[in-house]
Amino acid sequence: MRIRPLLAAGLVATATACSSGTDQATPPATTPSAAPQPEDVSLKIPGIEVKKYRDPGHVEIPTRVAYDQSPPFGGYHDASWAACNGVVYTKAVRNENMVHSLEHGAVWIAYNPETLAGAGVEALAKKVTGVPYMVMSPYPGLDKPISLQSWEHRLKLDDPADPRVDAFIVALKQNEYTHPEPGATCDNPEFDQDDPPPFDPSPAPAGSVPVGS
């Protein structure tokens, strides 16, 4: 088992850095290199959120996980991962499948279709289409126009042109030090990309599987 840096269990930690105080602060000059690093260099990105989860298990449809974050970025998830090799979904996808993709090292770009203009969606889609370990989908009700997720990491933003989008992807996509299953595939021929399991915005009902934080 590879040892990864730990934060206090059960807490969401937001990295802080000196900035102008705006939501579009430019990342520091020490933007991570493309190579995976033996430390969590994403913590240098202003606004990053990190939460550690216990080793997760699997559920199967129709079982739901009582996620403690929206969008979720760790914990129990479906046994089948959402295909995540450069896929831009036009429909919102079930959380449990998307979280499994994160476990494999993918970066998931979620966006609110009500608050992000079409040009912004297109700009983000260009960063995803055909790119291994990248996946994108609408996320109705999202409290920001954009939310980036990797395993145990999240960054919410307003502007698709914010340089922190690229900084997040470079730091965390397939970073073997920050996700549980280095080398796991993002291909899943059995996952229907045109009609994926649907996103359910309702609160998880009684009897749902705890997230495992």
Side-chain angles (χ1 to χ4, degrees):
M1 180 179 294
R2 193 180 297 277
I3 298 175
R4 294 177 289 149
L6 297 177
L7 296 177
L11 297 178
V12 175
T14 302
T16 58
C18 294
S19 70
S20 63
T22 67
D23 193 40
Q24 299 181 30
T26 301
T30 54
T31 298
S33 68
Q37 302 294 313
E39 60 178 322
D40 193 348
V41 292
S42 73
L43 296 178
K44 299 175 183 178
I45 301 172
I48 194 85
E49 297 174 88
V50 177
K51 179 167 183 176
K52 296 298 175 181
Y53 291 90
R54 296 195 301 268
D55 289 341
H58 290 162
V59 300
E60 294 187 2
I61 293 175
T63 302
R64 293 184 62 189
V65 176
Y67 287 116
D68 57 348
Q69 304 293 325
S70 182
F73 51 101
Y76 273 68
H77 48 262
D78 196 89
S80 179
W81 58 96
C84 49
N85 268 337
V87 182
V88 176
Y89 291 96
T90 59
K91 299 178 181 179
V93 184
R94 182 169 172 261
N95 279 329
E96 288 81 358
N97 299 96
M98 296 299 277
V99 171
H100 195 157
S101 300
L102 303 184
E103 187 184 40
H104 285 201
V107 167
W108 168 27
I109 300 180
Y111 67 94
N112 187 332
E114 298 296 325
T115 60
L116 186 65
V121 175
E122 292 177 6
L124 292 173
K126 289 179 180 179
K127 299 179 185 293
V128 174
T129 304
V131 179
Y133 293 87
M134 292 293 298
V135 62
M136 177 173 166
S137 69
Y139 199 92
L142 184 61
D143 59 352
K144 287 277 191 176
I146 304 161
S147 184
L148 308 176
Q149 287 71 228
S150 70
W151 183 259
E152 299 183 335
H153 296 72
R154 183 176 65 188
L155 179 64
K156 292 186 175 182
L157 299 170
D158 293 309
D159 185 357
D162 191 313
R164 288 175 290 173
V165 174
D166 289 338
F168 186 98
I169 294 169
V170 169
L172 293 166
K173 181 169 73 77
Q174 280 190 285
N175 188 327
E176 61 182 313
Y177 299 100
T178 59
H179 71 97
E181 296 186 359
T185 183
C186 254
D187 291 328
N188 189 352
E190 298 181 358
F191 193 83
D192 190 340
Q193 297 180 28
D194 297 320
D195 190 22
F199 169 70
D200 187 343
S202 65
S208 296
V209 174
V211 66
S213 59

